[in-house]
Amino acid sequence: MGDFRRTWPQLVITDLLVRTLAVVVLAPLLGLLLRVFLATTATGVVSDAAIVGFLLHPIGWVALVVVASVSLALLFLELGQLLVIGFGAGEKRRVTWLEAFRYAVARLSRFVQIAAHMVPRLLLIALPFLAFGGGLYLLLARQHDINYFLAQKPPEFLAFVAVVGLLLVAMSALLMIRFAGWLLALPMV
């Protein structure tokens, strides 16, 4: 608790700094990717099917990997700063948010490398689950609009929801285990 009392202002400033960076870096990147996405459509109108089609296209796959990697790298940047502040407190040294920021920014390329390594692998883990869920959709739920299913709640829709729910739980467990393993590599950076 003593370490926390000494470092909490630095921890808060670090968190606010990274949130600001996320808005300044991620928002324009997402806007650019949205423009690329809309340029691939004939009408400029986006439907759910168009979003899925875009994500299955190589440009969409690259866009997803880039955005997810930059997002994770920013998270790793924040965690790196928090670790530096925490390790300093454990050694009874005062590490300012600026010192931690400089230290973490010097290792930003490694954070991006880890994130760029992680994202495609996490997507490949998720892919069979998503493909099976998509197949179930085509088999059980494609006949009607979602509003029909929500209003009528036919048995095939309830079965679809139950199976997809179990798939999502299993997929999430596998992804969390894999993500936790990579997260443990962060203190080494």
Side-chain angles (χ1 to χ4, degrees):
M1 285 304 291
D3 290 343
F4 178 72
R5 276 195 297 273
R6 284 191 309 278
T7 60
W8 77 264
Q10 303 306 317
L11 299 173
V12 169
I13 292 170
T14 297
D15 183 60
L16 293 174
L17 173 69
V18 173
R19 289 180 193 276
T20 304
L21 279 175
V23 169
V24 170
V25 172
L26 282 180
L29 181 62
L30 289 173
L32 178 66
L33 289 173
L34 180 61
R35 283 181 174 226
V36 169
F37 174 45
L38 289 176
T40 63
T41 64
T43 62
V45 177
V46 181
S47 67
D48 294 342
I51 293 170
V52 172
F54 177 71
L55 291 176
L56 294 176
H57 190 272
I59 293 173
W61 180 260
V62 170
L64 181 63
V65 170
V66 167
V67 169
S69 295
V70 170
S71 299
L72 270 177
L74 281 173
L75 172 71
F76 293 164
L77 180 72
E78 178 181 18
L79 289 174
Q81 292 174 69
L82 296 174
L83 285 169
V84 168
I85 293 168
F87 285 140
E91 295 175 351
K92 305 297 184 221
R93 289 184 303 117
R94 184 177 185 274
V95 178
T96 66
W97 67 270
L98 186 57
E99 293 168 332
F101 180 72
R102 287 182 184 146
Y103 187 88
V105 166
R107 286 145 184 85
L108 184 60
S109 65
R110 291 159 121 185
F111 294 145
V112 172
Q113 286 175 344
I114 291 173
H117 218 64
M118 285 176 63
V119 169
R121 285 168 176 75
L122 292 173
L123 289 172
L124 287 174
I125 290 170
L127 191 61
F129 293 96
L130 298 174
F132 189 73
L136 279 176
Y137 167 78
L138 292 175
L139 185 66
L140 298 175
R142 190 173 75 154
Q143 298 83 8
H144 299 286
D145 183 64
I146 187 66
N147 295 319
Y148 166 80
F149 287 117
L150 293 174
Q152 301 300 320
K153 295 181 181 65
E156 63 267 14
F157 176 68
L158 297 177
F160 171 74
V161 169
V163 172
V164 168
L166 290 173
L167 281 174
L168 289 175
V169 167
M171 180 183 76
S172 298
L174 285 174
L175 290 175
M176 284 191 294
I177 290 167
R178 192 70 171 149
F179 187 78
W182 278 312
L183 207 54
L184 293 174
L186 211 53
M188 291 189 283
V189 173

